[in-house]
Amino acid sequence: MKRMMTALACVGSAMVVAACDGQMTTTVSSTADAGATPMVLATSDIEAGRYLVLVGGCNDCHTPQYAMTNGAQPPEAEWLKGSTEGHTGPWGTTYGKNLRLTTQRLSEDQWVELLATGSSLPPMPWPSVRAMSDADKRAIYRYIRQLPGEAGEQAPAPLPPGVTPPPPAPPAGTAPAA
């Protein structure tokens, strides 16, 4: 009975998500059952990956100006190129890595392994990322790999506590402040 209720809840959740976004499907995979790891179902791996990047808040740290503009900037072609906007706390200052460069140097299987075992300084939410299904990790990899444009540059290295970070670099295509 408990398994049936869990399965019904999963199907209901999928239907709610489908109603919110015409790209999502309302069917459950034949391989999905009540004991399987939950995963996003979409019309393609690319759409699932895009959805996960959006709802997972990946752009907040890994895309310059995204959080500061409430997602209005930059355009999707610039997403996940890393950031010079630092996140400072007792650990020092960390920067969102360029995920495009990361996926270029890793195979899909290596990416899944990285997300399954990774750890680093805050604010990266590693416990949540490690809990993600392998299918969702693969969908994110495939989404990142198909993003258009240049991959960009490496984000700055973390700074230790007590070191004042430099101001963030201006967004691409803008003139520096006078």
Side-chain angles (χ1 to χ4, degrees):
M1 180 68 166
K2 185 177 179 182
R3 290 187 110 181
M4 187 168 99
M5 294 304 289
T6 302
L8 288 173
C10 290
V11 170
S13 296
M15 291 173 73
V16 168
V17 170
C20 295
D21 181 350
Q23 297 294 318
M24 306 304 284
T25 67
T26 57
T27 60
V28 176
S29 163
S30 61
T31 60
D33 65 60
T37 303
M39 61 184 240
V40 170
L41 297 175
T43 57
S44 71
D45 287 343
I46 304 302
E47 286 302 316
R50 183 177 191 279
Y51 174 78
L52 288 161
V53 164
L54 283 171
V55 301
C58 303
N59 285 313
D60 291 354
C61 297
H62 295 279
T63 300
Q65 301 295 310
Y66 192 88
M68 293 168 39
T69 64
N70 201 25
Q73 289 295 323
E76 189 171 358
E78 297 298 311
W79 288 6
L80 307 176
K81 288 186 174 183
S83 182
T84 60
E85 298 162 17
H87 304 277
T88 302
W91 61 86
T93 302
T94 52
Y95 299 90
K97 293 185 191 256
N98 182 328
L99 299 181
R100 292 180 183 215
L101 292 176
T102 301
T103 60
Q104 283 183 356
R105 69 177 171 76
L106 297 177
S107 71
E108 189 171 309
D109 288 339
Q110 290 170 323
W111 170 263
V112 170
E113 180 66 17
L114 171 68
L115 297 188
T117 61
S119 67
S120 63
L121 296 169
M124 185 64 189
W126 282 109
S128 299
V129 172
R130 286 190 296 266
M132 204 182 306
S133 71
D134 284 359
D136 286 349
K137 292 170 187 168
R138 291 179 187 284
I140 292 171
Y141 178 89
R142 292 171 187 167
Y143 170 71
I144 295 169
R145 292 291 301 213
Q146 66 79 48
L147 283 167
E150 297 294 319
E153 303 294 322
Q154 286 287 357
L159 300 173
V163 175
T164 303
T174 63

